[in-house]
RNA sequence: GGAGAAAUGGCAGAGUGGUCGAUUGCACCGGUCUUGAAAACCGGCGUACCGCGAGGUACCGGGGGUUCGAAUCCCUCUUUCUCCGCCA
């Protein structure tokens, strides 16, 4: 959520910035500012009445003490009138507050200056490429065929037990999955991230804190009887650790990592894009989250990109990095880099990581702040990224490292898998 | 699941209807003293919103209520602790 003070003072810049998303913010912002103005004047009215009431109450107390009962009774009846006025004003103020908040929720984050204007994924910029496409001298199989051939993943069993998009991993498939998780966590630890094993369901306040709620609840699996939500990413529990926190000094840099399953309802996707592991309702992911001083955000983002690059290179997977255009950048993000791995067998790029800086957008909702040197409170910056999402990594690993007689496990994973080949 | 107790500022801990946004101690920050440090002493020390400012308003786990007035009384929810039951 953008800060109301910023909307007041940088109205034009925000409208301009949001044009890069093809988002017309002007009517919303105008509406907000009009409501904000009447909110302020009503509120100031209300508060002066409250002030009067407080003074009278105090006075009545003194009169009672002095035994001046009649005067006290008279004062009481006068206060009652104020009370009615106050109640009327309060309901108006509350109503306006609610309306303003609803409008604020509609405004996405303002894109960073590096972000290009654009409508959709076609306008994304490729900023980095690494690796070569494998040259198969045989008919390369897509991962769903490989998974079947080597009995690594059972999609039908998932359908039987749960539903589509909830696969079972079996045997070496399950082990490979577990090895990847451990590998990613140990790499994150080497880069200075503290590991957390978090709850996999969260309450409403947490959903609001990271922006899934109030309007994207349809993307999450819900447990209404307990008011809980299955997490769509570890970002939610990890970032919410710091909800309503004021860090005591400017000197901080919080680096967290965590493995969790991620649950996504993802309604409305069909066809070959969702084939196999390409899109699931439940998948595993290792996430990295950072909470930074605003002056350190650019550097932190750079470090996160380097970290993810390292992972993909160690796994020997050809990849490219895209800087998303305005229209393709997530609602809360100021700038996002997507990592895509090339799947030669499917002949397409698969998104395996998304690294974003949110600046104060999440911190504002989270009320996550720090104390400046001169004792002021200021919002922190948050960042996060996948490092990495498992299914498509598994898919490209199987596809890109397949040979005629089996799948070669990358060197770095062997200590974790305990085998070097699937055949 | 049943019975009881509790929730106050970074922590500890007062406060049961009227200058209480809240006594006090510790912690923390600034100052005096000191060659330096400690001790001692003095001062400061929550958050948010409105206002150019003076200042005002709200917040004592959350929400609601009673009252001229609520940290204090009532209802409700949540959480924690103790006991019983059940259980990995």
């Amino acid at each position: 959520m953008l800060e109301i003070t910023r909307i007041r003072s940088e109205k034009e810049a925000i409208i301009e910035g949001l044009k890069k998303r093809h988002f017309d913010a002007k009517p919303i912002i105008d509406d907000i500012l009009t409501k904000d103005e009447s909110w302020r004047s009503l509120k100031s009215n209300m508060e002066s009445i409250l002030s009067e009431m407080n003074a009278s109450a105090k006075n009545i107390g003194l009169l009672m003490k002095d035994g001046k009962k009649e005067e006290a009774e008279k004062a009481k009846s006068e206060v009652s009138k104020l009370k009615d006025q106050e109640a009327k004003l309060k309901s108006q103020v509350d109503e306006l507050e609610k309306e303003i908040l609803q409008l604020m929720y509609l405004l996405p984050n303002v894109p960073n200056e590096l972000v290009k204007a654009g409508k959709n994924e076609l306008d994304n910029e490729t900023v980095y490429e690494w690796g070569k496409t494998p040259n198969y001298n045989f008919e390369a199989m897509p991962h769903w065929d490989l998974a079947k051939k080597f009995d690594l993943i059972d999609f039908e069993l998932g359908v039987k037990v749960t539903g589509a998009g909830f696969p079972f991993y079996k045997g070496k498939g399950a082990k490979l999955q577990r090895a990847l998780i451990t590998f990613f966590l140990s790499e994150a630890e080497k880069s200075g991230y503290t590991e957390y094993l978090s709850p996999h369901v969260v309450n409403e306040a947490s959903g609001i804190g990271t922006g899934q709620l109030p309007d994207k609840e349809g993307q999450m699996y819900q447990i209404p009887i307990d008011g809980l939500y299955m997490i769509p990413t570890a970002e939610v529990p990890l970032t919410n650790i710091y909800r309503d926190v004021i860090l005591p000094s400017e000197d901080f840099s919080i680096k967290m990592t965590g493995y969790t399953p991620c649950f996504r309802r993802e309604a409305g996707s069909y066809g070959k894009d969702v084939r196999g592991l390409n899109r699931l309702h439940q998948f595993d992911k290792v996430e990295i989250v950072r909470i930074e001083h605003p002056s350190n955000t650019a550097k932190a983002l750079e470090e996160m990109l380097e970290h993810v690059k390292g992972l993909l290179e160690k796994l020997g997977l050809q990849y490219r990095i895209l800087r998303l255009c305005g229209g393709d950048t997530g609602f809360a993000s100021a700038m996002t880099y997507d990592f895509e791995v090339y799947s030669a067998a499917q002949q397409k790029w698969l998104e395996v990581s998304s690294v974003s800086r949110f600046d104060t957008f999440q911190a504002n909702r989270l009320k996550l702040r720090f104390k400046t040197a001169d004792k002021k409170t200021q919002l922190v910056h948050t960042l996060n990224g996948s490092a990495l999402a498992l299914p498509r990594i598994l898919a490209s690993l199987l596809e890109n490292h397949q040979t005629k007689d089996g799948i070669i496990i990358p060197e770095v994973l062997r200590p974790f898998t305990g085998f070097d080949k699937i055949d």
Side-chain angles (χ1 to χ4, degrees):
Chain A
M1 187 164 63
L2 297 173
E3 296 127 273
I4 183 75
T5 49
R6 195 169 154 207
I7 294 177
R8 284 181 198 140
S9 65
E10 297 172 31
K11 173 184 164 181
E12 295 306 328
I14 292 173
I15 292 173
E16 235 8 76
L18 288 179
K19 280 187 185 162
K20 289 203 277 188
R21 291 181 178 271
H22 284 259
F23 185 94
D24 183 13
K26 188 161 189 312
I28 297 173
I29 289 187
D30 284 342
D31 200 6
I32 288 174
L33 291 177
T34 310
K35 292 197 158 87
D36 181 56
E37 210 157 305
S38 48
W39 174 77
R40 279 191 280 176
S41 99
L42 288 172
K43 183 164 169 136
S44 129
N45 255 331
M46 178 185 90
E47 290 187 347
S48 62
I49 291 174
L50 273 173
S51 177
E52 237 179 286
M53 286 165 63
N54 286 343
S56 302
K58 230 169 242 183
N59 190 34
I60 290 168
L62 292 175
L63 291 172
M64 300 287 268
K65 210 178 262 176
D66 295 345
K68 298 177 183 163
K69 243 190 154 165
E70 270 173 44
E71 281 181 60
E73 287 305 323
K74 201 172 149 228
K76 274 192 200 180
S77 65
E78 276 166 26
V79 174
S80 298
K81 284 178 219 153
L82 289 176
K83 226 179 159 181
D84 290 344
Q85 287 181 46
E86 194 273 338
K88 222 172 272 170
L89 282 168
K90 180 159 168 32
S91 75
Q92 292 177 42
V93 167
D94 286 351
E95 183 55 35
L96 273 174
E97 235 162 69
K98 233 192 280 167
E99 288 174 18
I100 291 169
L101 194 61
Q102 289 307 313
L103 290 166
M104 302 274 288
Y105 282 152
L106 299 177
L107 295 175
N109 204 350
V110 179
N112 186 278
E113 54 180 5
L114 290 175
V115 175
K116 292 271 188 298
K119 258 210 167 90
N120 52 39
E121 65 273 11
L122 299 174
D123 297 321
N124 295 338
E125 312 166 73
T126 302
V127 295
Y128 189 81
E129 287 183 78
W130 184 91
K132 280 204 245 44
T133 309
N135 246 330
Y136 305 112
N137 54 4
F138 56 95
E139 188 65 28
M141 292 183 180
H143 68 270
W144 49 86
D145 288 338
L146 291 165
K148 189 144 217 165
K149 178 175 172 191
F150 296 110
D151 200 18
L152 302 173
I153 305 170
D154 196 323
F155 292 98
E156 290 75 20
L157 218 46
V159 171
K160 173 185 176 186
V161 172
T162 305
F166 293 91
F168 276 88
Y169 301 87
K170 274 173 79 179
K172 282 187 171 173
K175 278 192 176 171
L176 182 51
Q177 185 84 355
R178 184 155 51 84
L180 280 165
I181 293 166
T182 314
F183 169 66
F184 292 149
L185 285 172
S186 81
E187 290 294 308
E189 193 179 1
K190 280 186 208 159
S191 296
Y193 293 86
T194 302
E195 182 181 345
Y196 286 78
L197 188 55
S198 79
H200 299 166
V201 293
V202 294
N203 57 28
E204 189 185 10
S206 295
I208 291 171
T210 28
Q212 282 71 31
L213 298 174
D215 38 54
K216 298 182 194 71
E217 59 264 84
Q219 292 174 12
M220 291 189 289
Y221 287 96
Q222 305 184 27
I223 310 169
I225 192 171
D226 295 306
L228 298 174
Y229 301 83
M230 315 275 288
I231 56 171
T233 158
E235 164 197 342
V236 180
L238 290 184
T239 313
N240 272 285
I241 292 172
Y242 285 90
R243 171 156 45 85
D244 289 320
V245 166
I246 298 177
L247 300 165
S249 80
E250 303 210 33
D251 183 27
F252 64 91
S253 174
I254 294 161
K255 300 167 75 174
M256 299 178 280
T257 186
Y259 150 72
T260 66
C262 301
F263 301 92
R264 302 205 177 163
R265 295 187 65 234
E266 308 260 8
S269 307
Y270 303 97
K272 67 177 177 358
D273 282 351
V274 303
R275 189 98 193 258
L277 294 171
N278 288 355
R279 184 165 292 168
L280 300 172
H281 285 308
Q282 179 184 330
F283 63 94
D284 294 304
K285 180 158 63 66
V286 172
E287 183 81 358
I288 50 178
V289 173
R290 299 182 62 147
I291 294 169
E292 296 289 344
H293 190 282
S295 67
N296 198 43
T297 307
K299 180 166 162 266
L301 183 65
E302 206 50 50
E303 286 171 10
M304 293 167 81
L305 296 178
E306 286 306 312
H307 179 75
V308 176
K309 278 156 100 172
L311 296 177
L312 292 170
E313 287 169 22
K314 283 173 191 169
L315 293 174
L317 295 172
Q318 181 192 5
Y319 70 91
R320 66 180 185 184
I321 305 178
L322 307 176
R323 179 161 53 223
L324 302 189
C325 72
D328 208 25
T329 299
F331 188 81
S333 170
M335 180 155 68
T336 297
Y337 288 94
D338 272 5
F339 283 72
E340 295 185 337
V341 166
Y342 190 69
S343 158
Q346 295 184 60
Q347 301 192 342
K348 63 193 275 194
W349 292 94
L350 302 174
E351 182 195 331
V352 294
S353 174
S354 193
V355 179
S356 305
R357 54 181 285 179
F358 302 95
D359 298 353
T360 57
F361 198 85
Q362 285 187 326
N364 189 35
R365 273 211 207 179
L366 288 163
K367 295 201 179 64
L368 168 49
R369 293 156 294 177
F370 68 96
K371 283 274 189 212
T372 62
D374 54 345
K375 308 269 186 196
K376 294 234 163 45
T377 53
Q378 194 183 326
L379 293 169
V380 304
H381 280 190
T382 59
L383 306 92
N384 66 50
S386 359
L388 291 160
L390 276 278
R392 294 182 197 149
I393 287 292
L394 186 63
S396 49
L397 222 47
L398 298 178
E399 290 170 0
N400 292 7
H401 294 335
Q402 64 182 304
T403 65
K404 243 188 293 200
D405 37 34
I407 292 151
I408 310 297
I409 302 297
E411 203 76 49
V412 290
L413 284 180
R414 293 180 193 171
F416 302 106
T417 53
F419 52 86
D420 54 14
K421 202 172 174 195
I422 296 173
D423 51 15

